[in-house]
Amino acid sequence: MKNRIALKAEPRRTAIVLAIFTLISLFLVLVLIFSVNKDCMQLNSLIRSDYDYSVTTQEPVLENDYYQFNAGIDFALAADSQSSLNADIIMQSNSSVYTDLVYWNANELSTHRIAVSKNIAKSNNLHLGDKLYSKHIVTGEVCEYAIEQIIPEAVCVRVDTGNKHSNGIIIMGYDAEYVDHITHNCVVFTDESINDFTAKCSATPQDIIYRDDEVRSVVLSIIPYLAVFSLISIAITIISACVLSKGIACNFRRLVMLGFEKEKLNKAYRSYICKSGVVSIVIALALSSIVFLFVDIKAIRIILVIWIPLIELITLFTATAIINRRLWRK
């Protein structure tokens, strides 16, 4: 025996409201993901690394260190290209050991061999064995560099300013001509205590950056996006709930005047609003999952994909309860 109350609503009106809500939700999720995608890459790289801090030194310390040159080094897709890849470029030492202390570390590279981060390779359709070109600062010749390794996603070597704009990392094999003729320093990644590390250096290490501070910097750059998109999602959820509620308000009041039980009326109301909203949110979430066709599936990205739907669900249930109480007051 059926004992349910059906709140009549105009199907076309409901369909239009839900379609608009779904499209806006989908748009918000996709824009959020692509807005913070670079931060997600860097955050994942930092979390997967095990070093405590990085420093700059005058000379290599023979473990997890790279040369950084004061003169700009550029890589291009073609020998005669007028534009270069936007990459953070470093060079391996000829006598250092590279461990998994740094997530994106490469194995030992030979001269004129390079490793590129996966994000650069993907965005430029590069594969193992492909060639990049760079004008040698010392000789002035345009040299050909073969891609020997593709390392994990990372945006930059160090989050030293919180405002890095590179799109990835390129690691060069050791080149004595660069080291002998171009001013440089070394960036070292370590988990040793400051005192133990300083004892190994010929000069006092400088520019210490702790990995925890790098993580904090990246997270702080993501939070404003989360805040703005959360506020927008809250607003559109409340508006959608109000519009859906308005479509059944007259019928709801009519049933109140006819003496229908309050609990059954409230249950029918919550069922209509919440079921409609949840279906719309689930559809948007399913469609937004297409983002993983273009980027790697990482825990951080999964959290961001479900963030907006989670906010919308909480807002939907809260707004439904509040609007329900207001209907009884009228």
mmCIF file with all atom_site columns, all heavy atoms in Angstrom, residues 17-29:
data_model
loop_
_atom_site.group_PDB
_atom_site.id
_atom_site.type_symbol
_atom_site.label_atom_id
_atom_site.label_alt_id
_atom_site.label_comp_id
_atom_site.label_asym_id
_atom_site.label_entity_id
_atom_site.label_seq_id
_atom_site.pdbx_PDB_ins_code
_atom_site.Cartn_x
_atom_site.Cartn_y
_atom_site.Cartn_z
_atom_site.occupancy
_atom_site.B_iso_or_equiv
_atom_site.pdbx_formal_charge
_atom_site.auth_seq_id
_atom_site.auth_comp_id
_atom_site.auth_asym_id
_atom_site.auth_atom_id
_atom_site.pdbx_PDB_model_num
ATOM 1   N N   . VAL A 1 17 ? 16.646 23.509 -14.448 1.00 0.00 ? 17 VAL A N   1
ATOM 2   C CA  . VAL A 1 17 ? 17.422 23.902 -13.257 1.00 0.00 ? 17 VAL A CA  1
ATOM 3   C C   . VAL A 1 17 ? 18.558 22.926 -13.013 1.00 0.00 ? 17 VAL A C   1
ATOM 4   O O   . VAL A 1 17 ? 19.713 23.321 -12.780 1.00 0.00 ? 17 VAL A O   1
ATOM 5   C CB  . VAL A 1 17 ? 16.511 23.988 -12.012 1.00 0.00 ? 17 VAL A CB  1
ATOM 6   C CG1 . VAL A 1 17 ? 17.357 24.207 -10.753 1.00 0.00 ? 17 VAL A CG1 1
ATOM 7   C CG2 . VAL A 1 17 ? 15.504 25.120 -12.166 1.00 0.00 ? 17 VAL A CG2 1
ATOM 8   N N   . LEU A 1 18 ? 18.256 21.629 -13.081 1.00 0.00 ? 18 LEU A N   1
ATOM 9   C CA  . LEU A 1 18 ? 19.275 20.617 -12.813 1.00 0.00 ? 18 LEU A CA  1
ATOM 10  C C   . LEU A 1 18 ? 20.350 20.591 -13.897 1.00 0.00 ? 18 LEU A C   1
ATOM 11  O O   . LEU A 1 18 ? 21.529 20.357 -13.614 1.00 0.00 ? 18 LEU A O   1
ATOM 12  C CB  . LEU A 1 18 ? 18.632 19.242 -12.668 1.00 0.00 ? 18 LEU A CB  1
ATOM 13  C CG  . LEU A 1 18 ? 17.706 19.075 -11.464 1.00 0.00 ? 18 LEU A CG  1
ATOM 14  C CD1 . LEU A 1 18 ? 17.126 17.668 -11.422 1.00 0.00 ? 18 LEU A CD1 1
ATOM 15  C CD2 . LEU A 1 18 ? 18.457 19.375 -10.167 1.00 0.00 ? 18 LEU A CD2 1
ATOM 16  N N   . ALA A 1 19 ? 19.948 20.819 -15.140 1.00 0.00 ? 19 ALA A N   1
ATOM 17  C CA  . ALA A 1 19 ? 20.923 20.843 -16.234 1.00 0.00 ? 19 ALA A CA  1
ATOM 18  C C   . ALA A 1 19 ? 21.909 22.005 -16.059 1.00 0.00 ? 19 ALA A C   1
ATOM 19  O O   . ALA A 1 19 ? 23.124 21.839 -16.223 1.00 0.00 ? 19 ALA A O   1
ATOM 20  C CB  . ALA A 1 19 ? 20.206 20.947 -17.580 1.00 0.00 ? 19 ALA A CB  1
ATOM 21  N N   . ILE A 1 20 ? 21.376 23.167 -15.713 1.00 0.00 ? 20 ILE A N   1
ATOM 22  C CA  . ILE A 1 20 ? 22.238 24.337 -15.502 1.00 0.00 ? 20 ILE A CA  1
ATOM 23  C C   . ILE A 1 20 ? 23.159 24.106 -14.311 1.00 0.00 ? 20 ILE A C   1
ATOM 24  O O   . ILE A 1 20 ? 24.365 24.403 -14.365 1.00 0.00 ? 20 ILE A O   1
ATOM 25  C CB  . ILE A 1 20 ? 21.381 25.606 -15.290 1.00 0.00 ? 20 ILE A CB  1
ATOM 26  C CG1 . ILE A 1 20 ? 20.624 25.961 -16.578 1.00 0.00 ? 20 ILE A CG1 1
ATOM 27  C CG2 . ILE A 1 20 ? 22.254 26.774 -14.845 1.00 0.00 ? 20 ILE A CG2 1
ATOM 28  C CD1 . ILE A 1 20 ? 19.643 27.095 -16.421 1.00 0.00 ? 20 ILE A CD1 1
ATOM 29  N N   . PHE A 1 21 ? 22.608 23.558 -13.230 1.00 0.00 ? 21 PHE A N   1
ATOM 30  C CA  . PHE A 1 21 ? 23.406 23.275 -12.028 1.00 0.00 ? 21 PHE A CA  1
ATOM 31  C C   . PHE A 1 21 ? 24.527 22.272 -12.335 1.00 0.00 ? 21 PHE A C   1
ATOM 32  O O   . PHE A 1 21 ? 25.673 22.439 -11.905 1.00 0.00 ? 21 PHE A O   1
ATOM 33  C CB  . PHE A 1 21 ? 22.486 22.742 -10.933 1.00 0.00 ? 21 PHE A CB  1
ATOM 34  C CG  . PHE A 1 21 ? 23.194 22.386 -9.656  1.00 0.00 ? 21 PHE A CG  1
ATOM 35  C CD1 . PHE A 1 21 ? 24.001 23.307 -9.003  1.00 0.00 ? 21 PHE A CD1 1
ATOM 36  C CD2 . PHE A 1 21 ? 23.064 21.118 -9.102  1.00 0.00 ? 21 PHE A CD2 1
ATOM 37  C CE1 . PHE A 1 21 ? 24.663 22.976 -7.816  1.00 0.00 ? 21 PHE A CE1 1
ATOM 38  C CE2 . PHE A 1 21 ? 23.714 20.773 -7.923  1.00 0.00 ? 21 PHE A CE2 1
ATOM 39  C CZ  . PHE A 1 21 ? 24.516 21.706 -7.282  1.00 0.00 ? 21 PHE A CZ  1
ATOM 40  N N   . THR A 1 22 ? 24.202 21.231 -13.109 1.00 0.00 ? 22 THR A N   1
ATOM 41  C CA  . THR A 1 22 ? 25.204 20.224 -13.463 1.00 0.00 ? 22 THR A CA  1
ATOM 42  C C   . THR A 1 22 ? 26.327 20.830 -14.295 1.00 0.00 ? 22 THR A C   1
ATOM 43  O O   . THR A 1 22 ? 27.514 20.576 -14.036 1.00 0.00 ? 22 THR A O   1
ATOM 44  C CB  . THR A 1 22 ? 24.543 19.076 -14.258 1.00 0.00 ? 22 THR A CB  1
ATOM 45  O OG1 . THR A 1 22 ? 23.512 18.484 -13.462 1.00 0.00 ? 22 THR A OG1 1
ATOM 46  C CG2 . THR A 1 22 ? 25.569 18.018 -14.641 1.00 0.00 ? 22 THR A CG2 1
ATOM 47  N N   . LEU A 1 23 ? 25.967 21.638 -15.281 1.00 0.00 ? 23 LEU A N   1
ATOM 48  C CA  . LEU A 1 23 ? 26.974 22.241 -16.154 1.00 0.00 ? 23 LEU A CA  1
ATOM 49  C C   . LEU A 1 23 ? 27.887 23.202 -15.392 1.00 0.00 ? 23 LEU A C   1
ATOM 50  O O   . LEU A 1 23 ? 29.104 23.214 -15.594 1.00 0.00 ? 23 LEU A O   1
ATOM 51  C CB  . LEU A 1 23 ? 26.294 22.966 -17.313 1.00 0.00 ? 23 LEU A CB  1
ATOM 52  C CG  . LEU A 1 23 ? 25.601 22.069 -18.349 1.00 0.00 ? 23 LEU A CG  1
ATOM 53  C CD1 . LEU A 1 23 ? 24.852 22.905 -19.372 1.00 0.00 ? 23 LEU A CD1 1
ATOM 54  C CD2 . LEU A 1 23 ? 26.631 21.171 -19.044 1.00 0.00 ? 23 LEU A CD2 1
ATOM 55  N N   . ILE A 1 24 ? 27.303 23.994 -14.501 1.00 0.00 ? 24 ILE A N   1
ATOM 56  C CA  . ILE A 1 24 ? 28.118 24.924 -13.710 1.00 0.00 ? 24 ILE A CA  1
ATOM 57  C C   . ILE A 1 24 ? 29.037 24.160 -12.765 1.00 0.00 ? 24 ILE A C   1
ATOM 58  O O   . ILE A 1 24 ? 30.215 24.504 -12.613 1.00 0.00 ? 24 ILE A O   1
ATOM 59  C CB  . ILE A 1 24 ? 27.221 25.911 -12.928 1.00 0.00 ? 24 ILE A CB  1
ATOM 60  C CG1 . ILE A 1 24 ? 26.450 26.812 -13.892 1.00 0.00 ? 24 ILE A CG1 1
ATOM 61  C CG2 . ILE A 1 24 ? 28.072 26.761 -11.991 1.00 0.00 ? 24 ILE A CG2 1
ATOM 62  C CD1 . ILE A 1 24 ? 25.475 27.748 -13.206 1.00 0.00 ? 24 ILE A CD1 1
ATOM 63  N N   . SER A 1 25 ? 28.517 23.111 -12.149 1.00 0.00 ? 25 SER A N   1
ATOM 64  C CA  . SER A 1 25 ? 29.339 22.295 -11.247 1.00 0.00 ? 25 SER A CA  1
ATOM 65  C C   . SER A 1 25 ? 30.506 21.665 -11.992 1.00 0.00 ? 25 SER A C   1
ATOM 66  O O   . SER A 1 25 ? 31.645 21.662 -11.514 1.00 0.00 ? 25 SER A O   1
ATOM 67  C CB  . SER A 1 25 ? 28.489 21.198 -10.602 1.00 0.00 ? 25 SER A CB  1
ATOM 68  O OG  . SER A 1 25 ? 27.473 21.740 -9.805  1.00 0.00 ? 25 SER A OG  1
ATOM 69  N N   . LEU A 1 26 ? 30.216 21.121 -13.168 1.00 0.00 ? 26 LEU A N   1
ATOM 70  C CA  . LEU A 1 26 ? 31.264 20.519 -13.993 1.00 0.00 ? 26 LEU A CA  1
ATOM 71  C C   . LEU A 1 26 ? 32.313 21.555 -14.372 1.00 0.00 ? 26 LEU A C   1
ATOM 72  O O   . LEU A 1 26 ? 33.525 21.294 -14.289 1.00 0.00 ? 26 LEU A O   1
ATOM 73  C CB  . LEU A 1 26 ? 30.636 19.914 -15.249 1.00 0.00 ? 26 LEU A CB  1
ATOM 74  C CG  . LEU A 1 26 ? 31.599 19.335 -16.289 1.00 0.00 ? 26 LEU A CG  1
ATOM 75  C CD1 . LEU A 1 26 ? 32.401 18.191 -15.698 1.00 0.00 ? 26 LEU A CD1 1
ATOM 76  C CD2 . LEU A 1 26 ? 30.825 18.878 -17.529 1.00 0.00 ? 26 LEU A CD2 1
ATOM 77  N N   . PHE A 1 27 ? 31.859 22.720 -14.768 1.00 0.00 ? 27 PHE A N   1
ATOM 78  C CA  . PHE A 1 27 ? 32.778 23.803 -15.152 1.00 0.00 ? 27 PHE A CA  1
ATOM 79  C C   . PHE A 1 27 ? 33.677 24.195 -13.986 1.00 0.00 ? 27 PHE A C   1
ATOM 80  O O   . PHE A 1 27 ? 34.891 24.375 -14.154 1.00 0.00 ? 27 PHE A O   1
ATOM 81  C CB  . PHE A 1 27 ? 31.963 25.006 -15.627 1.00 0.00 ? 27 PHE A CB  1
ATOM 82  C CG  . PHE A 1 27 ? 32.795 26.210 -15.967 1.00 0.00 ? 27 PHE A CG  1
ATOM 83  C CD1 . PHE A 1 27 ? 33.503 26.262 -17.159 1.00 0.00 ? 27 PHE A CD1 1
ATOM 84  C CD2 . PHE A 1 27 ? 32.862 27.281 -15.091 1.00 0.00 ? 27 PHE A CD2 1
ATOM 85  C CE1 . PHE A 1 27 ? 34.277 27.377 -17.469 1.00 0.00 ? 27 PHE A CE1 1
ATOM 86  C CE2 . PHE A 1 27 ? 33.629 28.392 -15.387 1.00 0.00 ? 27 PHE A CE2 1
ATOM 87  C CZ  . PHE A 1 27 ? 34.335 28.441 -16.585 1.00 0.00 ? 27 PHE A CZ  1
ATOM 88  N N   . LEU A 1 28 ? 33.095 24.310 -12.794 1.00 0.00 ? 28 LEU A N   1
ATOM 89  C CA  . LEU A 1 28 ? 33.874 24.701 -11.621 1.00 0.00 ? 28 LEU A CA  1
ATOM 90  C C   . LEU A 1 28 ? 34.964 23.677 -11.304 1.00 0.00 ? 28 LEU A C   1
ATOM 91  O O   . LEU A 1 28 ? 36.107 24.039 -11.015 1.00 0.00 ? 28 LEU A O   1
ATOM 92  C CB  . LEU A 1 28 ? 32.957 24.870 -10.408 1.00 0.00 ? 28 LEU A CB  1
ATOM 93  C CG  . LEU A 1 28 ? 32.027 26.079 -10.403 1.00 0.00 ? 28 LEU A CG  1
ATOM 94  C CD1 . LEU A 1 28 ? 31.117 26.041 -9.181  1.00 0.00 ? 28 LEU A CD1 1
ATOM 95  C CD2 . LEU A 1 28 ? 32.831 27.372 -10.409 1.00 0.00 ? 28 LEU A CD2 1
ATOM 96  N N   . VAL A 1 29 ? 34.602 22.388 -11.356 1.00 0.00 ? 29 VAL A N   1
ATOM 97  C CA  . VAL A 1 29 ? 35.579 21.344 -11.045 1.00 0.00 ? 29 VAL A CA  1
ATOM 98  C C   . VAL A 1 29 ? 36.730 21.368 -12.041 1.00 0.00 ? 29 VAL A C   1
ATOM 99  O O   . VAL A 1 29 ? 37.904 21.327 -11.663 1.00 0.00 ? 29 VAL A O   1
ATOM 100 C CB  . VAL A 1 29 ? 34.912 19.955 -11.037 1.00 0.00 ? 29 VAL A CB  1
ATOM 101 C CG1 . VAL A 1 29 ? 35.966 18.862 -10.894 1.00 0.00 ? 29 VAL A CG1 1
ATOM 102 C CG2 . VAL A 1 29 ? 33.903 19.854 -9.904  1.00 0.00 ? 29 VAL A CG2 1
#
